[in-house]
Amino acid sequence: MDIYLIKLILVHLIGDFFLQPNSWVKDKATKKLKSGKLYIHVAVHIALIFFVFLSFSIWKIALSIGLLHLFIDGAKGLFQTRKNARALFFIDQIFHFSSIILVWHLFFKGHLDVSYLHDIRFWILISCALFLTMPTSIIMKVIIAKWLPESDDESPKSLQNAGKYIGILERLLIFIFITTNHFEAVGFLLAAKSIFRFGDLKEAHDLKLTEYVLIGTLLSFGIAIIVALTINTWIGRLLL
């Protein structure tokens, strides 16, 4: 990847996540385009570009990035509400990185290598990774539904859908570990989850709950391992 693109991304990361206090974020969300912190934030990005590139000859690039950043953050402030704040954060970052790539392409004649989009192995990996998220969660829910312990109103409530997302993350991690030939990391992941779960299950004094969690964990790990090993074998044959 081109060094100029890396520098522009570095500027964005420093300016947006290291040099932007929470007070500035709140001020921008409250006062929107009237927020002085918005314009200071943009000025910080422009100054960082000069600092990282150590040259004033790139003033057109700095100005372009600054104006695009002002437009994106300004639009975010106008449309942001409490309900859509989380979604707008990710949309905002997508637009920022897209604008960086656009400026890099226009001023440095940069081109991203997207040849991997024509590689069947890429689409196999993406398809399997997606399968291990929601589809696998639904499959597991159907399989272990008959063993679901009866709810107890006096038991502590967990975060909404926390178990589902924990399962998705652990399966994706297992998939990454195995497809990158780091099998030993799967053992550490299982050990870590067992340690965190041990205290809760010990306090619950509920054999059915313990068995239910154990079945769910082993099923989740098993599906992820089988999918990852299958993909390794399949991709290995494609390389022959």
Side-chain angles (χ1 to χ4, degrees):
M1 189 175 290
D2 192 273
I3 187 172
Y4 300 116
L5 178 59
I6 296 297
K7 287 184 175 182
L8 291 174
I9 292 175
L10 177 63
V11 165
H12 175 73
L13 294 176
I14 294 174
D16 249 27
F17 297 99
F18 291 92
L19 298 181
Q20 182 176 206
N22 288 331
S23 59
W24 290 15
V25 176
K26 294 178 181 178
D27 191 79
K28 291 192 299 180
T30 303
K31 300 180 181 178
K32 303 185 184 303
L33 292 177
K34 295 181 180 180
S35 171
K37 299 297 189 295
L38 171 61
Y39 302 99
I40 295 175
H41 175 60
V42 172
V44 168
H45 277 268
I46 294 175
L48 281 172
I49 291 176
F50 287 122
F51 178 77
V52 171
F53 281 86
L54 296 175
S55 172
F56 288 102
S57 63
I58 44 86
W59 65 270
K60 291 182 180 179
I61 298 170
L63 184 60
S64 299
I65 291 290
L67 290 175
L68 287 169
H69 202 100
L70 176 61
F71 176 78
I72 294 170
D73 275 17
K76 176 188 175 185
L78 291 175
F79 292 103
Q80 182 171 313
T81 62
R82 289 186 177 181
K83 292 183 179 180
N84 66 14
R86 184 183 304 171
L88 276 183
F89 168 79
F90 293 103
I91 295 173
D92 170 77
Q93 292 302 316
I94 290 173
F95 274 108
H96 280 312
F97 281 105
S98 298
S99 67
I100 289 171
I101 293 174
L102 175 63
V103 170
W104 171 65
H105 173 71
L106 292 176
F107 287 94
F108 296 109
K109 308 301 179 184
H111 295 278
L112 292 175
D113 182 8
V114 293
S115 59
Y116 59 87
L117 294 177
H118 302 288
D119 192 336
I120 188 175
R121 291 171 295 179
F122 170 77
W123 294 106
I124 291 174
L125 290 171
I126 292 296
S127 299
C128 290
L130 287 177
F131 170 75
L132 291 174
T133 57
M134 296 303 296
T136 300
S137 294
I138 295 173
I139 292 171
M140 289 181 55
K141 184 177 180 180
V142 172
I143 293 175
I144 65 178
K146 63 178 180 179
W147 295 307
L148 181 66
E150 296 181 1
S151 60
D152 184 2
D153 294 335
E154 296 181 358
S155 62
K157 301 297 182 180
S158 64
L159 297 175
Q160 184 178 8
N161 294 323
K164 178 176 69 176
Y165 293 117
I166 290 172
I168 289 174
L169 289 174
E170 72 184 18
R171 288 192 295 275
L172 289 178
L173 286 173
I174 291 171
F175 182 73
I176 293 172
F177 292 151
I178 294 180
T179 53
T180 56
N181 294 317
H182 290 89
F183 296 89
E184 67 282 356
V186 177
F188 285 109
L189 182 62
L190 180 59
K193 183 173 183 181
S194 301
I195 292 172
F196 284 117
R197 276 292 193 177
F198 177 76
D200 295 334
L201 296 176
K202 183 179 180 181
E203 295 295 328
H205 299 291
D206 190 336
L207 180 60
K208 291 183 179 180
L209 176 61
T210 303
E211 292 174 338
Y212 178 79
V213 172
L214 185 59
I215 290 172
T217 297
L218 293 178
L219 184 61
S220 180
F221 273 64
I223 292 175
I225 291 172
I226 291 172
V227 170
L229 290 176
T230 301
I231 291 307
N232 274 0
T233 302
W234 195 357
I235 291 179
R237 290 179 178 177
L238 289 174
L239 294 174
L240 294 178

